[in-house]
Amino acid sequence: VLATYAPWLSAIANSFQAGFWEESLFRAVPIAGAALIGERLGQRRLFIVLGFIVQAIVFGAGHAPYPNQPAYARPVELIVPSIGFGLLYLYFGLLPGIILHFTFDVVWFALPIFLAKAPGIWLQQVMVVMFTLVPLWVVVWRRMQVGRWTELPDSARNAAWTPPAAVTPVVEAAAAAREALGSKTRVTWLSIGALSFAGILAAVVLRASDNPYGKLQVSRASAEGIARTELQTRGVTFSSKWRVMAVPDDGSGGPHQFVYETAGESRWRDLLGVYLPRPRWRVRVATFEGDVADRAEEWRLYVDANGEVRSVQHVLPQARPGATLDENAARTLTLAGVKQRYGLDRTQLKEISARPAKEKARTDWRFTFTDLEVGRIVPSRLPSSTEGEPRIDVTIAGDEVASVNRYVHVPEEWERQQRAASTRNLIIQISTSIIFGGLLIAAAIGGMMAWSRGRYAARLFLLAAVMALAASAAGLANSWPALVANLPTTAPLQLQLIGILAVASIGLTLLAAMVGLAIGALPARLARFGRIGDRDAVPLGIATGLFGAGIGAAASAIRTPAWARYPNVDALGAIVPILDVALDPVMSLITGMAVVLTAVIAVDRLTRSWTRRRVAGILALAAIGFVAGGVPAGSHIGGWAIAGLLMSLGLVAVYVTLVRFDPTLVPLALGTMGAIRAAGLVAQRPFPGAAFGGVLAAVVVSALSWWWFRLLRRVV
């Protein structure tokens, strides 16, 4: 709290968000939900009691991860407060519980503020008190307005509430007459589709022919075998408790941008695969068994695309006993390690630093050298203060060479700029997620409302939800090796796996349900729109997808500089990489249908079938298209803005000239875009099996988009 810009705001904001969402989730949802279910089943009191018990248990268990011993201390401690909060909700509603919870949390969050003696801390203390008592200020203000104190009438209490009388549904006004799609527009869009296809082919061929990052032809099993062999040659023996876990790494990172933009593309290409990593395998050898302190020991290796071990790091527990070398002895051992790994002797190196680290039972050393053979990375366009250099770090643990690693040293000024850019990019990414997540949630809520009014296709809900859940669950199971490889060894493996499965099952089910709810409401909403004949709709939908893929490729080329065009090798970390590639576009297609069609329907209502408020409709579409462009690559905000503008113009053009006449073209368009992306793997072939996986993915997403296109047109 004290480390923030405004400590009072941290205490108030954290307390308010906790008090609001916890009371809404732990009290209102289970108790009110139980009352509604019990009312339907004729057992209202029984279900309220059950919901009351459930909320008390879940509220306590939700605080169990706090660092307390034993683990059940917090659930037991919070049983009584849970009962109190539940009774408060039952008798007085949600607001008093939120105020009480908020005030209770403020006391704990603000304790450091009232214990601190720093200059000016009194202002923070005053702000905490002022904002904590806001509910009281509201009461005082109302007392001043009324001029006297009043008693709360019984009619204002929860017990006096009765459902309002049913309201006769208002018949919606007839939709404005829709204009038909002209023949010239049909011809124009077919021509645009053909030109887009030609442009995409040229771009794919060009990118495939110029791929400085190369391909990762080593499989996961091979990388793990190479790592085992390397460690065995070092005298390391394995027992059954040790796990060898390989994860693909595309080699991305800040030094690529630094070298490319300061020293030029030619210098960047020279350092690729030497000091700048290409796609490779990151292999971790660790154990989840035995004593917690001993489990801190790990081996970390990098295996490149040629099957060569590029880096080996041995991480030892801090309490592991070892030798205590003086600086000269440690330097001699270090130089021998560099000679063995990279063939460089002392005359080819310049020592930068030698730093000791005293552990409990040994002394570790860290030496840093400049590689004089490679030379400095001289900037071609930036001030000399931004120079970088190729360096080698060597870590000595006791009398063992624990790691020898080479990298490009990035100046501190550059790192600060990149951290600022990363923070900005994170904000953009969060904002994008909020916008599209909000669209999906709004679509799901609209689906629930449509279901309650009897204007809903429950079969489509079931089909979409099951398809989304099956694709997500299959993808999760297939990516199991990569999930396990990234788990910490400090906690029991079984407990972590149970947590992953529990969180994933809830999250994937909720996501599938939201997608299904949104799609189930589409038939009734699409009935307002016109229809283009099947003979024209299919080629027009495909042409739209080709145009979208072309715009997306152009935007990506503008937004992503050459150094950031890393090949996608993530599928290699799956059990069956081809299956991972084939499943990847399925969830994107279903979620895209829910979000895009919801946005199209919303814009149609906003503009009354494109007869009113057209500017507002264009702005809404432009905003969605802009954020769909993704996040900037590194610090390149200008290219990102141009790419976003291009995506905005493309989406507005598609809607205004074509999709508003028949939104059922959207599945075909999204399927075509997914198929084009999958076909890109066929040309690039970044890893073994990528071509076959790309073909399979293109076939799957094309078939699904056709199926959904026919289904939506049939049920409307």
Side-chain angles (χ1 to χ4, degrees):
V1 171
L2 294 177
T4 59
Y5 285 114
W8 71 267
L9 179 59
S10 177
I12 293 294
N14 288 332
S15 301
F16 179 72
Q17 68 91 15
F20 182 83
W21 81 260
E22 288 185 20
E23 288 306 305
S24 299
L25 180 64
F26 291 124
R27 246 65 70 181
V29 170
I31 297 178
L36 292 172
I37 296 172
E39 189 80 29
R40 177 66 62 89
L41 300 178
Q43 296 288 340
R44 189 170 187 269
R45 289 183 178 274
L46 173 63
F47 274 83
I48 289 178
V49 172
L50 293 176
F52 196 93
I53 296 173
V54 168
Q55 66 87 21
I57 296 173
V58 174
F59 179 70
H63 293 77
Y66 282 36
N68 290 304
Q69 294 293 337
Y72 56 81
R74 290 289 285 171
V76 172
E77 173 190 344
L78 290 175
I79 287 293
V80 173
S82 298
I83 295 173
F85 279 118
L87 291 174
L88 190 65
Y89 170 72
L90 278 175
Y91 282 93
F92 298 104
L94 191 59
L95 184 59
I98 292 176
I99 295 174
L100 173 58
H101 201 141
F102 160 70
T103 309
F104 181 87
D105 284 356
V106 167
V107 172
W108 295 108
F109 278 112
L111 274 180
I113 299 175
F114 285 89
L115 293 176
K117 303 299 181 182
I121 197 67
W122 64 270
L123 178 61
Q124 307 297 323
Q125 296 169 350
V126 169
M127 296 295 286
V128 168
V129 173
M130 291 291 294
F131 277 89
T132 302
L133 298 181
V134 162
L136 179 60
W137 306 145
V138 174
V139 173
V140 171
W141 174 248
R142 292 296 294 155
R143 169 65 177 80
M144 294 173 60
Q145 284 185 316
V146 175
R148 60 186 177 86
W149 293 108
T150 58
E151 292 291 334
L152 184 68
D154 291 339
S155 60
R157 301 182 185 273
N158 279 5
W161 182 85
T162 56
V167 179
T168 303
V170 178
V171 179
E172 293 186 5
R178 296 180 182 272
E179 52 187 313
L181 183 68
S183 58
K184 291 184 178 180
T185 305
R186 289 184 176 88
V187 174
T188 301
W189 266 108
L190 293 176
S191 302
I192 290 174
L195 292 174
S196 299
F197 183 68
I200 291 169
L201 282 179
V204 169
V205 171
L206 180 63
R207 183 169 180 180
S209 62
D210 183 24
N211 178 18
Y213 281 101
K215 305 173 182 179
L216 187 55
Q217 299 293 343
V218 180
S219 66
R220 180 168 56 88
S222 298
E224 292 174 353
I226 292 169
R228 287 180 181 274
T229 302
E230 173 69 20
L231 294 182
Q232 287 170 357
T233 59
R234 293 169 172 256
V236 180
T237 57
F238 294 98
S239 64
S240 58
K241 71 176 185 178
W242 288 88
R243 292 172 175 263
V244 181
M245 303 167 287
V247 178
D249 182 352
D250 60 12
S252 59
H256 284 279
Q257 179 181 359
F258 170 74
V259 175
Y260 189 93
E261 296 187 353
T262 59
E265 182 176 357
S266 176
R267 184 70 161 142
W268 170 70
R269 288 177 180 265
D270 291 340
L271 292 176
L272 277 177
V274 183
Y275 278 87
L276 296 174
R278 282 191 171 106
R280 56 190 177 171
W281 284 99
R282 174 169 48 87
V283 185
R284 179 186 181 207
V285 182
T287 180
F288 295 89
E289 303 176 22
D291 183 74
V292 174
D294 292 337
R295 294 203 300 261
E297 182 177 13
E298 290 188 10
W299 292 89
R300 300 169 186 170
L301 304 88
Y302 283 101
V303 179
D304 66 13
N306 298 320
E308 298 179 6
V309 177
R310 288 290 183 177
S311 175
V312 180
Q313 180 183 7
H314 187 195
V315 180
L316 277 75
Q318 291 182 340
R320 179 73 58 84
T324 298
L325 302 179
D326 60 26
E327 183 173 338
N328 289 331
R331 181 177 290 107
T332 301
L333 187 61
T334 295
L335 292 172
V338 176
K339 180 70 174 178
Q340 180 184 9
R341 170 57 60 182
Y342 300 124
L344 300 173
D345 57 35
R346 188 164 189 166
T347 61
Q348 297 169 299
L349 301 171
K350 176 185 176 182
E351 185 175 318
I352 300 297
S353 63
R355 299 183 295 274
K358 185 68 178 75
E359 302 294 348
K360 183 177 181 181
R362 69 175 190 271
T363 298
D364 294 348
W365 285 87
R366 184 184 183 91
F367 287 83
T368 301
F369 301 93
T370 297
D371 186 348
L372 299 178
E373 292 297 302
V374 176
R376 284 184 173 274
I377 302 170
V378 180
S380 58
R381 293 182 299 276
L382 297 179
S384 58
S385 61
T386 59
E387 285 186 359
E389 56 187 10
R391 288 187 177 181
I392 299 175
D393 270 1
V394 183
T395 302
I396 303 295
D399 57 357
E400 175 189 352
V401 180
S403 69
V404 182
N405 179 48
R406 56 185 179 186
Y407 63 99
V408 172
H409 168 69
V410 177
E412 184 179 354
E413 178 184 353
W414 180 273
E415 283 190 331
R416 285 199 300 266
Q417 295 173 358
Q418 295 310 301
R419 283 198 296 269
S422 297
T423 302
R424 179 206 62 207
N425 294 348
L426 179 61
I427 294 173
I428 294 174
Q429 185 176 9
I430 292 174
S431 302
T432 300
S433 301
I434 290 174
I435 290 173
F436 285 109
L439 283 173
L440 183 58
I441 293 173
I445 293 174
M448 288 187 283
M449 296 171 62
W451 199 334
S452 67
R453 295 169 181 170
R455 294 178 294 180
Y456 197 78
R459 186 167 67 95
L460 285 191
F461 158 75
L462 187 61
L463 286 172
V466 169
M467 188 179 295
L469 184 59
S472 301
L476 176 67
N478 196 32
S479 63
W480 198 251
L483 289 175
V484 175
N486 290 309
L487 294 177
T489 58
T490 52
L493 178 62
Q494 293 80 3
L495 184 61
Q496 295 187 75
L497 295 181
I498 291 173
I500 290 176
L501 290 175
V503 172
S505 60
I506 295 173
L508 296 182
T509 301
L510 286 175
L511 179 59
M514 286 194 293
V515 171
L517 285 168
I519 290 180
L522 291 178
R525 294 172 177 174
L526 292 177
R528 322 166 27 108
F529 292 85
R531 286 291 174 270
I532 300 173
D534 288 354
R535 184 176 179 181
D536 291 326
V538 174
L540 286 173
I542 295 174
T544 306
L546 291 171
F547 174 72
I551 289 291
S556 178
I558 296 172
R559 181 180 67 250
T560 311
W563 59 265
R565 296 171 188 170
Y566 312 104
N568 188 352
V569 294
D570 292 342
L572 273 179
I575 299 174
V576 184
I578 293 175
L579 179 61
D580 187 85
V581 175
L583 288 175
D584 182 61
V586 174
M587 193 62 186
S588 298
L589 171 66
I590 303 173
T591 307
M593 282 172 46
V595 172
V596 173
L597 284 173
T598 298
V600 168
I601 293 169
V603 171
D604 182 77
R605 289 190 174 182
L606 174 66
T607 61
R608 293 295 301 274
S609 302
W610 207 244
T611 59
R612 300 179 181 177
R613 297 189 292 271
R614 294 184 178 182
V615 174
I618 290 175
L619 291 177
L621 288 169
I624 295 173
F626 192 89
V627 299
V631 298
S635 58
H636 288 267
I637 193 73
W640 168 78
I642 296 174
L645 180 61
L646 184 62
M647 294 285 288
S648 296
L649 295 175
L651 182 59
V652 171
V654 167
Y655 177 83
V656 172
T657 62
L658 185 59
V659 169
R660 68 184 178 91
F661 297 98
D662 187 355
T664 62
L665 301 179
V666 168
L668 285 177
L670 294 176
T672 303
M673 294 172 66
I676 292 295
R677 284 193 296 268
L681 289 174
V682 179
Q684 297 174 12
R685 302 184 182 185
F687 55 86
F692 180 75
V695 172
L696 182 60
V699 171
V700 169
V701 74
S702 298
L704 286 177
S705 64
W706 167 260
W707 184 72
W708 277 107
F709 165 73
R710 299 298 302 170
L711 189 60
L712 285 178
R713 293 172 74 87
R714 188 166 61 246
V715 298
V716 172

